[in-house]
Amino acid sequence: MAAEALVPSSAAEAVQLFGDGKDITVFAGGTILMPEIAAGRLKPARTLLLHRSGLDELRIDGDVIRIGATVPVAALVDGSNELLARFAQEIGDREVRAAATVGGNICATAGLGAQRGDLGAPLIALGARVRSDGKGGERTEPVEDFLAGDRSGRLVLEIEVDAPKGAWSAQTLRRRHAHSYSVANVAICSNGDGLRVGVSGIGPAAVRARTVEQSRNAEDVLKDVDPVDDALASAAYRQKMLVVLTQRALDEVGKA
Amino acid sequence: MRLTVNGREHEIASAPLTALLHVLREELEITSPKAGCQQGGCGTCTVLVDGEPRRSCLTPVVMVDGAAITTLEGLGEAEELSAVQAAFHNKYAAQCGFCTPGMVVAATALIERKGGAVDRDDVLEALGGHYCRCTGYVKIVDAVMAASRGDVEAVADLPTPGESEPDVLVKGSPA
Amino acid sequence: MKAVGARLPRYDGVGHVTGRTQYVDDVRVGRTLWVKALRSPHHHAGITKLDTAKAEAMQGVYAVITHKDVPRNVYGHLEGLGVPGDEPLLADGEVRYKGQPIAAVAAESEEAAQAAVEAIEVAYDERPALFDIRLALDPDAPKIHQWGNVYPHYGPYNHRRVRKGDIDWAFDKADVIVEGVYRPQAIEQMPMETQVALAVPEANGRLTIYSCTQAMYFSMGVVAAHLEVPLNKLKFVGGTVGGGFGGKVDTAADTICALLAIKARRPVKWRWTREEEFLSSSTRAAWHIEIADAVTSDGWILGRRTVTLHDSGAYARFSPYGVTKHAFHHSGAYSIPNLRFDGFVCFTNRVPSTAMRGFGVTSVSFAVETHLTRVASVLGIDPWELRLRNANRIGDTSGNGVALKDPSTVAVALAAAERVGIELPAEYRQMTSDPRSGDLLPEHLVAQQRLNGEGA
């Protein structure tokens, strides 16, 4: 491989080398990119490896958790935020979680025949914010906006997560063995004056389901999401299951 | 780049994005980690990186520059098997043996991490991402739990026939 | 006999747990080249263009082969058993399954080999594909095999047939006809070690092939046949196979490596990726099995009609043999005096299917046992008692008329019932495999025994 491998030693250097993200492949944990390279589907010419950029800090700042982009998914499994832990523990297996990163998870696009980016659902439900840099400079935005926008040209630096302010529910559906990808995920947080509903595992990016937040009618989750067919599950099955998962989450949040 | 593998330092010539798996197998000719899927899905490539179990097929070597790598070869040899190695052998936890390197490495790390006896849930959590197509897993789980308890009794080979034992063959047979 | 019953260490156990066991991909031979294949992206298509010139000219490429390089391209795995050859090693003019190999490259690295594969110029004209074996006999279905869509060489028939007794009498006499359709699906063997081969041209003109085959001499014969060389030109080195389960009998990598090694004059290794394994390697076949049992209300099976369709995929490989094994076992472990079995080997535009643990028999065992439970349910009879009554006994005959000398159905069924805690009535618990008599010898079996020249 004649790839040029750049290893910045600070976040600032990483941002500077990333530029506007053109013609550069960002390596966080590598768990998504290495299989693509092994299969010959990805042949990066320039790579930016973040493992020395100091982006792997997990800091607790009062009620806010600041998760660096390259914090491993494993760190969330035993972490203080139980909603995140519930989703994190389903990703891959122990060894994959030790290498996979939170930033990599939310920047992931759909795989060949499987969906990714599971953490998007609880992060949306928790009202998390993504701080990123790149084309257009540094900005902080809600996770759902980051995911819905044009992610090319953005280098994720940090994710800020508030502790849940009220009841929450984690509903995950996958095949029954380790490191299976998702069929569908729903996360709901209630904070007294409203709900936040995040859905992941059903398409190329996690989505905020605003209609059901207002109506509290589980079927309305389908008004904001467009599940795909893939190797694991059909769109039709996902649609049916999403309604069930949403109902369960609404019930759990409602009971608390 | 530099790697210490099983206690020995090596200068690495492979390109930075080469998977640690291939650096080990093709450049250093250490072949116990296997290329079962090259997608991180099967566990046959698992090695220890600074003591932690990692999928070597998912690890670009540049990301472990300077690290200490341990493969199955570094855990023990025929003359002195580790507890986990002995348990796998004595409890028939290996049939074709292809998943065995990854299993033994991951099990060794589990027992080290727990610092004592492990139960079935511990084993399933640590080894749950490792596939075996031969054994049905029961003997693997038994072997790991037994090793963690220090409960490893050897399986002896057949004793050579003594004079008092009857021969199966007819006396005078040329066989 | 000291070893029987003794707990002995595996002779390869220490090698396994110390990482010393050597699999084909662990064998190191200097100057080895790596292989990648051009595989069909289409289920069924004509090849209108195939030009390897650009690939051959690429840096690091030592050999490229197509069908033109194969001394004998079309061969059949069962030619030794009289099944004519139908499958090209490398596609010639057409492709019949997605993943079918068309060309192969040997180069200095896997990346270089893959880049060369991508530089091969190839064009296709797509054709309608057939996937549903139930349509194989339909005259309007796309014709996808030179023999038609069904294997035609079972003697004068296009199916494996079993005929015993008088099936029409059985269906006429029955109190109830119980029907069922059973469709076991294809299964990928998924050994942890993928297909792999290393071919080394020796100075003395022979070829050493490190093979993961489950059947060394068989694969040696396949390679010798394709290369048109005598067997003594080949040296096969086996060793530890990282799991096969039937998936490593098709000699999937050895022959192509051999040809590339000869052309490149260097050792050549082909290690399949897991994706290739899932998408292009042969699997257990899918089956469609229709059973109709003619039964009496008191639980005698007078006769059975069976039609089996077997999904052979694009080529025959071992399927004619698999359906034959299936046919032998279609009456199960039970004495059914009147049988009519028709088993069809159907071609589809799928990866050719092959063996997997119990090849041909697991499918029919699943079907007949499930069916018997259905029969019991329809008749309102205990399913154990139904089986024990109809179980094979000494003097009963098999589906193809062989008198049984030592059937074990009764003993095994009783042991199984005890193991799972089923309490059977005393008369059943006392059953043996002794020749039928009394209540276990109803009128129709007496007549059948006379017809078959058996019994007292």
Side-chain angles (χ1 to χ4, degrees), chain A:
Chain A
M1 262 175 289
E4 189 190 353
L6 304 165
V7 185
S9 44
S10 69
E13 195 187 344
V15 169
Q16 186 248 317
L17 288 169
F18 178 77
D20 62 1
K22 269 184 69 179
D23 303 321
I24 196 156
T25 303
V26 177
F27 258 78
T31 57
I32 290 172
L33 294 176
M34 288 302 277
E36 296 300 301
I37 292 171
R41 283 189 288 272
L42 187 66
K43 293 171 197 176
R46 281 177 84 225
T47 56
L48 185 69
L49 295 121
L50 297 178
H51 60 291
R52 299 239 156 93
S53 303
L55 290 167
D56 57 349
E57 268 195 71
L58 181 85
R59 282 180 301 144
I60 305 195
D61 222 340
D63 263 336
V64 181
I65 303 176
R66 297 189 193 285
I67 307 172
T70 64
V71 165
V73 170
L76 298 183
V77 173
D78 295 315
S80 56
N81 187 309
E82 244 190 274
L83 173 54
L84 282 177
R86 287 274 292 278
F87 280 84
Q89 76 195 15
E90 301 285 338
I91 292 172
D93 78 333
R94 170 172 276 272
E95 291 159 28
V96 170
R97 288 193 289 274
T101 64
V102 179
N105 190 268
I106 64 156
C107 289
T109 52
L112 198 76
Q115 309 314 303
R116 299 190 184 113
D118 288 4
L119 293 178
L123 287 170
I124 288 170
L126 288 161
R129 278 108 29 222
V130 178
R131 183 162 67 86
S132 65
D133 208 322
K135 189 165 57 179
E138 186 181 307
R139 64 171 184 261
T140 300
E141 60 196 315
V143 165
E144 60 267 27
D145 292 347
F146 175 81
L147 293 171
D150 178 9
R151 286 180 269 164
S152 70
R154 303 309 302 169
L155 179 70
V156 172
L157 297 172
E158 192 178 70
I159 297 148
E160 294 172 4
V161 186
D162 300 326
K165 292 180 179 61
W168 55 266
S169 178
Q171 302 293 330
T172 64
L173 181 63
R174 62 206 310 115
R175 297 286 182 83
R176 287 186 59 217
H177 41 70
H179 69 66
S180 170
Y181 287 104
S182 299
V183 173
N185 302 307
V186 175
I188 300 188
C189 281
S190 160
N191 65 0
D193 48 51
L195 298 180
R196 292 182 64 93
V197 179
V199 177
S200 67
I202 49 89
V207 172
R208 183 170 173 192
R210 292 178 196 270
T211 312
V212 69
E213 288 178 2
Q214 299 303 313
S215 71
R216 308 213 174 200
N217 174 19
E219 273 161 19
D220 287 342
V221 71
L222 298 179
K223 294 206 167 114
D224 293 304
V225 310
D226 199 12
V228 301
D229 281 317
D230 68 17
L232 277 178
S234 64
Y237 182 68
R238 286 189 154 107
Q239 280 162 2
K240 281 212 157 76
M241 293 300 108
L242 272 174
V243 174
V244 172
L245 296 174
T246 305
Q247 187 62 62
R248 287 186 186 172
L250 288 168
D251 289 345
E252 192 176 356
V253 161
K255 278 200 196 84

Side-chain angles (χ1 to χ4, degrees), chain C residues 20-305:
Chain C
R20 302 284 302 276
T21 299
Q22 197 171 61
Y23 304 86
V24 172
D25 190 32
D26 299 332
V27 176
R28 300 285 117 167
V29 174
R31 306 176 69 239
T32 295
L33 301 171
W34 292 85
V35 178
K36 286 289 181 187
L38 172 66
R39 293 184 178 281
S40 169
H42 301 294
H43 301 291
H44 192 199
I47 300 174
T48 55
K49 176 184 181 177
L50 182 62
D51 186 342
T52 60
K54 290 207 175 95
E56 288 174 70
M58 283 176 78
Q59 167 112 42
V61 172
Y62 283 73
V64 181
I65 58 169
T66 67
H67 64 91
K68 297 198 191 102
D69 296 284
V70 192
R72 183 175 164 189
N73 196 34
V74 175
Y75 182 66
H77 283 66
L78 293 180
E79 283 197 24
L81 289 183
V83 176
D86 67 332
E87 182 171 3
L89 179 73
L90 290 168
D92 181 359
E94 63 164 355
V95 282
R96 293 190 199 165
Y97 66 94
K98 188 169 169 178
Q100 182 169 2
I102 299 168
V105 174
E108 273 170 359
S109 66
E110 283 186 307
E111 289 83 20
Q114 184 58 39
V117 163
E118 287 164 19
I120 296 174
E121 290 169 276
V122 57
Y124 308 91
D125 77 78
E126 283 184 68
R127 299 174 184 170
L130 177 66
F131 297 116
D132 190 340
I133 46 179
R134 293 170 298 187
L135 297 175
L137 289 158
D138 185 339
D140 293 331
K143 189 161 175 290
I144 60 163
H145 193 291
Q146 62 269 29
W147 296 335
N149 294 339
V150 169
Y151 172 75
H153 300 296
Y154 281 122
Y157 303 115
N158 69 352
H159 55 282
R160 174 58 80 200
R161 51 167 50 198
V162 177
R163 299 287 184 266
K164 183 184 183 188
D166 184 347
I167 196 70
D168 294 326
W169 172 88
F171 274 68
D172 200 52
K173 203 77 168 103
D175 296 323
V176 187
I177 310 292
V178 181
E179 295 182 341
V181 181
Y182 306 94
R183 295 170 56 78
Q185 293 303 309
I187 300 176
E188 162 56 40
Q189 299 90 347
M190 214 198 99
M192 295 318 296
E193 176 200 40
T194 59
Q195 305 287 342
V196 60
L198 169 62
V200 183
E202 305 289 1
N204 61 8
R206 295 174 80 207
L207 199 61
T208 298
I209 297 180
Y210 294 87
S211 175
C212 69
T213 183
Q214 295 175 223
M216 289 258 282
Y217 290 105
F218 180 77
S219 289
M220 210 166 165
V222 169
V223 174
H226 276 298
L227 267 51
E228 291 189 323
V229 297
L231 289 170
N232 65 6
K233 281 291 199 192
L234 301 174
K235 175 176 159 185
F236 260 61
V237 179
T240 305
V241 181
F245 317 117
K248 288 180 175 157
V249 296
D250 288 25
T251 320
D254 302 347
T255 318
I256 284 174
C257 281
L259 289 164
L260 284 168
I262 291 167
K263 198 168 184 184
R265 297 180 196 277
R266 274 178 62 162
V268 160
K269 178 189 283 188
W270 192 13
R271 173 178 68 196
W272 287 30
T273 65
R274 185 56 64 182
E275 284 185 21
E276 270 181 301
E277 198 73 31
F278 270 114
L279 297 176
S280 312
S281 78
S282 48
T283 64
R284 189 200 288 277
W287 302 75
H288 174 101
I289 304 162
E290 297 183 15
I291 302 177
D293 280 356
V295 300
T296 64
S297 350
D298 58 343
W300 292 109
I301 309 171
L302 300 179
R304 169 170 291 165
R305 276 201 177 109

Side-chain angles (χ1 to χ4, degrees), chain C residues 408-419:
Chain C
S408 52
T409 315
V410 172
V412 170
L414 290 176
E418 207 202 297
R419 277 292 168 88

